[in-house]
Each structure stands twice: as C-alpha cells, then as structure tokens.
Amino acid sequence: MAEERALAMVTCTAPVNIAVIKYWGKRDNDLILPINSSLSVTLHQDQLKTTTTAAASRDFTEDRLWLNGEEADVGHPRLQACLREVRRLARKRRGGSAEDSSPLNLSYKIHIATENNFPTAAGLASSAAGYACLGFLCRRGCWALEWAAGAQGGFGCSERGVTSWFLGPKVSGEKKQVGSTAGMQTSVDTSPLLKHRAEAVVPERLALMMRHIRERDFEGFGQLTMRDSNQFHATCLDTFPPIFYLNDLSRHIIALAHRFNAHHGRTKVAYTFDAGPNTVIFTLADTVAEFVEVVRRSFPPAANGDQFVRGLPVGSASLPEELVAAVVPEPVPGAVRYILHTQPGPGPQLLDDPSQHLLGADGLPHGRP
Ligand code: DP6
C-alpha cells in the first residue's frame, strides 16, 4: 500500500485556442488577471495539442520540468504557482490532508513533462495550451483557456460548419522576438491605444461577437475577427518601442483575404494573428477548397517540399479565370510552407490510459537515465 502511494501521476491533453477578441495586458501580474476579457475558439486536438504528465512522489528530490523532451528551468513564477496548486490538488485527490504523512503530501516534489505536436512559441498560443494542461490541476496560468472552454458551449461553430485552419507561413518553430508576457507589459506601460481599447472598444465588441455567434452570422463574425486582430497589432505598433509580430508574408495574406472577399462581394474568409506571423483563417466548409487553391496559386509550394496541405483532407477546386485575375497576385514561390486544415474541438481531456503517460514509473521521461 505504501509502495502504491509513493507515486501519483496524471496526464492530460489540451488544445490550442485562437482569440477572436484578443487579450493583451494584465491588470494583476500575480493573479494573471487580464485588462480586458477575451473570446477564443478552441481548435481540434486531432491536429494541434499539448500533452502534459504531472507526477508527485516522496522519492523526488527536486521539482523538474521537461519541454518536448528537453529539461527546462522550473523557476518561472507562474510555473511555481501552478506547482503549489498541483501539490494541493494531488493531495486532495488522494484523500490526504496536510497532516497526513502517508498519502501525497504538500512537500512532495513534482515532475512535469509536456509535449506539443506543433511548433512552440511561434504565435500559436502554445504556452496557453501547456498551462491549460496544468490547469486541470490548478487555477492559475490557465484562465484564457477556461474562457475559451466556457465560451465554446454557446459557440456551436462545428454545428454551423465553421472550419478554421492554419496557414503556416514558414511555420518553423522560429521563436518570436518579443515574448507575449514581456511585450504586453511594455504595451500596458506605454500604449494609449491599449487603454482606449480596453475601456471603450472591447466591451462592445465582446457583446457584438457573442451576438454574431448566437445568430450564426459568419460575415459578422469574420469581419469583427479581422478588425480585432488588426487592432491588437496596432496596439503592438503603438507600444514604445514598437513590437512587430506580422511580417511581409502576413501582410500578403491579409491583402489576399480582402481581395478574395471583395471578389465574392461578401466576407467568406477571415484572418487573425496572435503574437506571431502565422495566419489563422476561419472559413465555412464550402469555401475551404477554393481558398486553399488560391493560396497554392499565390505561394506555389516547392516541388520536393513538405506536404503542403496537412490535417483534415481538403477537396480539389479549379479556379475560374476571373477569380485568378482578380485575386491571385504575382506568385511568391515557397513563401508558405504548409497549410494545416483543422476545425473547432473540445477542451482539455484527462487520459485514463497509463501507457500514455510521458513519464515512466521512475518519474523520468521514457528512455532517459
Ligand atoms: C496575442 O497567453 O501568450 O495570443 O498571459 O503572458 O502567457 P501570457 O500571454 P499569452 O498571450 C496571448 C495573447 C494573444 C491574444 C489572446 O490569446 O487573447
């Protein structure tokens, strides 16, 4: 019995979420309270997910963390706050109490391993996904995802066939130059637009976005999504010194989306960018094949390159000549590395199958001494 209680382990998976009304800036850094509310779409874990295993044992001599197999620093204050909560909850799950010495105990050290199946720190809300996993066990560091999960029930986007997908312009896992935590702090300190946005813009937009979603108004949803992404990046530019997350390719794709919508006379695709250059496009299922073909024609993939369209299958489409003439620019070969086609999906999941733990019975990542 004592042996059995020596190690407790739990594994969960969490999705990537993409904000359509963006959060940028904290009013309380310790509690991680945002200056304004935000609203996100949860993407499907079949294409993008983070898996995290947390283990606690009296045999561990220190807290340890492995990110994608590499050992990393456990000193980050947010991680430390999460670890405290993990300990508290692990103890509770085992029915122990603070005085109880045999079950999991508050002083036990914790090992955490987390793995993404997508590039980390490239503006794909990767840290949020990692913390959301820990968020299964704690309340800090994970509010953004909880927001998304809470919003999802009323969203119903898979029912109405909203398909969202990533354009992966040079999704290289390239780390962004200014991390979001530091970047947003500089924005809070220096940007008058951020203040105006939080006070006068976001509350109205949030209500309007909820209405578009309830009414299944894709055009309204798409237009507001694009406007909010643009205002977030304007806030970055209004920060002093300015922060640039978009690159030339991001701007090419923005222009392409607007030409595509103008040609059709309505909003058929909507782009959004988080703190990085990767584009997320929202579109309805009936437009996916056509827009993917437009992207393929605009940014012809290298002949022997990686698979250009990944994730969910995309049908083929032939483009009318007048669409090509109006929308497709001078092609820029190889600029977009790949497109990942995905859809909205469920929130964090607890995995029951012990074979899916990222840590072995010794509390170390598999295959490590
Ligand atoms: C641009 O969640 O990465 O994606 O709270 O400091 O970890 P921290 O920042 P992070 O910032 C996300 C900002 C955003 C917009 C959003 O997701 O709402």
Side-chain angles (χ1 to χ4, degrees):
M1 196 64 182
E3 274 304 297
E4 198 202 315
R5 282 176 168 178
L7 180 77
M9 203 181 289
V10 61
T11 297
C12 86
T13 66
V16 163
N17 71 319
I18 296 298
V20 291
I21 300 292
K22 309 276 188 200
Y23 135 71
W24 193 247
K26 299 179 186 73
R27 64 189 153 88
D28 186 318
N29 281 309
D30 292 335
L31 296 174
I32 314 184
L33 296 177
I35 280 181
N36 63 260
S37 296
S38 62
L39 182 61
S40 300
V41 175
T42 301
L43 302 183
H44 207 290
Q45 296 184 43
D46 280 356
Q47 281 76 44
L48 296 158
K49 77 173 168 204
T50 293
T51 305
T52 298
T53 296
S57 167
R58 64 170 171 223
D59 298 333
F60 296 163
T61 52
E62 54 182 344
D63 291 332
R64 292 177 76 180
L65 170 70
W66 291 266
L67 301 177
N68 293 317
E70 294 299 318
E71 185 147 18
D73 179 24
V74 287
H76 194 287
R78 192 180 311 177
L79 182 66
Q80 283 298 322
C82 270
L83 287 176
R84 277 196 298 278
E85 290 296 303
V86 169
R87 281 193 186 94
R88 200 176 59 77
L89 257 114
R91 190 196 72 223
K92 257 174 115 176
R93 276 171 65 94
R94 302 298 295 236
S97 67
E99 313 84 63
D100 192 339
S101 59
S102 57
L104 284 166
N105 167 312
L106 271 176
S107 64
Y108 286 6
K109 301 295 180 195
I110 292 175
H111 287 187
I112 291 172
T114 183
E115 276 177 14
N116 294 334
N117 64 351
F118 58 91
T120 309
L124 299 182
S126 47
S127 77
Y131 278 111
C133 269
L134 288 176
F136 243 66
L137 302 169
C138 77
R139 288 251 154 237
R140 279 176 227 196
C142 47
W143 61 267
L145 255 286
E146 287 182 342
W147 233 104
Q152 206 201 356
F155 203 105
C157 38
S158 40
E159 297 145 46
R160 67 184 181 144
V162 165
T163 306
S164 60
W165 46 277
F166 280 93
L167 287 181
K170 300 280 181 200
V171 175
S172 56
E174 220 175 88
K175 281 218 166 194
K176 53 196 168 200
Q177 293 192 337
V178 182
S180 18
T181 306
M184 67 178 73
Q185 188 56 50
T186 314
S187 300
V188 170
D189 295 340
T190 62
S191 166
L193 177 57
L194 179 138
K195 201 164 175 296
H196 168 70
R197 173 175 159 74
E199 283 168 7
V201 180
V202 169
E204 254 172 52
R205 283 192 174 174
L206 218 43
L208 189 58
M209 188 64 98
M210 297 292 231
R211 198 166 85 216
H212 292 322
I213 290 165
R214 257 196 319 272
E215 292 173 359
R216 303 183 176 201
D217 172 2
F218 181 78
E219 287 203 66
F221 165 84
Q223 282 172 29
L224 194 51
T225 294
M226 293 187 278
R227 282 177 185 274
D228 206 69
S229 173
N230 294 342
Q231 193 176 68
F232 156 56
H233 290 280
T235 302
C236 292
L237 195 61
D238 191 44
T239 299
F240 199 77
I243 304 167
F244 307 99
Y245 287 126
L246 304 182
N247 61 19
D248 282 350
L249 183 58
S250 319
R251 286 183 284 271
H252 260 85
I253 292 169
I254 290 173
L256 185 66
H258 282 286
R259 282 199 305 273
F260 185 82
N261 289 338
H263 179 76
H264 283 290
R266 63 198 162 98
T267 299
K268 294 193 82 178
V269 296
Y271 54 80
T272 186
F273 298 80
D274 276 348
N278 295 308
T279 317
V280 176
I281 297 281
F282 291 102
T283 190
L284 295 170
D286 64 4
T287 307
V288 173
E290 186 179 69
F291 195 66
V292 166
E293 193 52 29
V294 164
V295 173
R296 196 199 302 272
R297 294 281 286 266
S298 306
F299 309 102
N304 299 320
D306 298 340
Q307 198 194 343
F308 190 61
V309 180
R310 305 179 188 186
L312 296 171
V314 174
S316 60
S318 61
L319 304 179
E321 267 321 303
E322 71 273 15
L323 175 78
V324 175
V327 171
V328 175
E330 194 60 26
V332 188
V336 170
R337 208 170 98 204
Y338 65 88
I339 292 169
L340 179 64
H341 180 202
T342 186
Q343 61 187 348
Q349 313 273 315
L350 205 52
L351 300 184
D352 293 326
D353 176 4
S355 72
Q356 291 176 297
H357 290 322
L358 301 178
L359 298 170
D362 56 358
L364 297 174
H366 298 295
R368 291 202 164 233

